Amino acid sequence: MEAMEQAKRIKPAARMEGLPTQFFAKLVAKANAQIAKGKDVINLGQGNPDQPTPPHIVDKLKEAADNPLYHKYPPFSGYLFLKQAVAQRYREDYGVELDPATEVAILFGGKTGLVEISQCLLNPGDICLVPDPGYPDYWSGVALAGGEMAFMPLLEKNGYLPDFSAIDPAVADKAKLMFMNYPNNPTGAVAGPEFYEEAVAYAVKHNIVLASDFAYGAIGYDGRKQVSFLETPGAKEVGVEFYTLSKTYNMAGWRVGFALGNADVIGMINLIQDHYYCSLFGGIQEAAALALTGPQQCVEELAARYERRRDALFTALDRIGWKAERPGGSFFCWLPVPEGYTSEQFADKLLLEADVVVAPGVGFGVHGEGYVRLGLLSDEARLTEAVERIGKLGLFGS
Ligand code: PLP
């Protein structure tokens, strides 16, 4: 009892109260409640890769775990060999040259860097341009920094790219940072070189730092190779890209990511990290380096697997009359909600009446309303079954 009284007297800092609520925690709780009732729930609502890490990478970790060097503290900002490995991958995949010593920071997953960059650049009240709908971790970093968000609507009619001409120039002049994310979560949209050229010109004009979130860079469909922001002339002068091994090599649990590009920003990220952590376990760094420099066939196979799933899903969607655009990248499908429902009402209906979990679009921002997001993280049979169950509700005029 006394302990409870004591706990009540411990007041969190205002910073904690300013953190955005975790919309998707509610979704997980609702799904778990159905599972607890013994329902066979098909969960298409989350973004956790379902396949294991390729065995050659796991084997390297096992071997490296025996190396006594790695039992000591790693260098603060991580081993140079890992920075060289990611620089090599960028050279081979995108023709981008990076100085491993000054233009690469090692992160505990992309998520960490996406939160840190706001803390590095934003003073309280500074504006950050954020895509809507978008990945909610951008909001977390801005909130922790005490910054303000100005949302850039991503609309279907613009291919889910932000329309820079629609941003109030006074807001743009006050903005210090902008997030962009292609292949996009949640819409599955992709960006070409022209978009990044426009973004760089806009960033130069308004003195904005660009943060390109390239978490799904390895996943392209129909023969499409995704474009890195860093391929754009002038990109390194105005921004950084965030890359992660989570999706490319099914290594979400390993927590390995990178910030790459502008040396000043990379220096700031390394500095803030010197205060938060010592880098990743050395064995993980060695296995991560092998992932990047070893055989890349596993990456091709991964993209092909998601493409087969996408095609199976859309064949089934077609059959029930649910019309939507196929994604060009990422493992997400962005589907319109039938009339008469909000995205949350519709997701609840699918969970309660079809035992299928989808993510309501509104959880990604107000412009996500009217859509739900489905992940391609189950095999073709499960995806097809999910759509068949939804079809039985008779909501689409097939
Ligand atoms: N960016 C986007 C758009 C994502 O969807 C994710 C993960 O789901 C991440 C970044 C972060 O990935 P990680 O922290 O595993 O590197």
Side-chain angles (χ1 to χ4, degrees), residues 62-78:
K62 288 181 189 161
E63 181 196 312
D66 279 333
N67 184 346
L69 173 68
Y70 297 149
H71 303 167
K72 299 171 185 273
Y73 287 114
F76 268 109
S77 70

Side-chain angles (χ1 to χ4, degrees), residues 1-58:
M1 197 61 199
E2 233 174 67
M4 269 173 69
E5 288 300 309
Q6 177 73 19
K8 274 194 221 148
R9 282 203 297 273
I10 301 175
K11 285 265 172 286
R15 184 181 311 112
M16 300 289 289
E17 276 151 17
L19 284 174
T21 49
Q22 272 288 10
F23 182 89
F24 292 102
K26 208 163 68 178
L27 180 73
V28 172
K30 282 182 193 170
N32 285 344
Q34 288 302 97
I35 294 167
K37 285 187 202 153
K39 305 270 187 186
D40 171 29
V41 171
I42 304 180
N43 190 345
L44 309 182
Q46 282 166 312
N48 208 344
D50 61 311
Q51 295 296 304
T53 305
H56 67 284
I57 303 171
V58 178

Side-chain angles (χ1 to χ4, degrees), residues 181-198:
N181 165 225
Y182 297 96
N184 184 255
N185 177 7
T187 65
V190 293
E194 321 72 41
F195 167 72
Y196 289 121
E197 279 160 28
E198 203 191 330

Side-chain angles (χ1 to χ4, degrees), residues 109-111 114 135 138 181 185 213 215-216 244 246-247 255:
K111 176 181 169 74
L114 290 165
Y135 180 58
Y138 312 139
N181 165 225
N185 177 7
D213 179 357
Y216 298 94
T244 167
S246 294
K247 324 287 158 149
R255 314 309 303 133

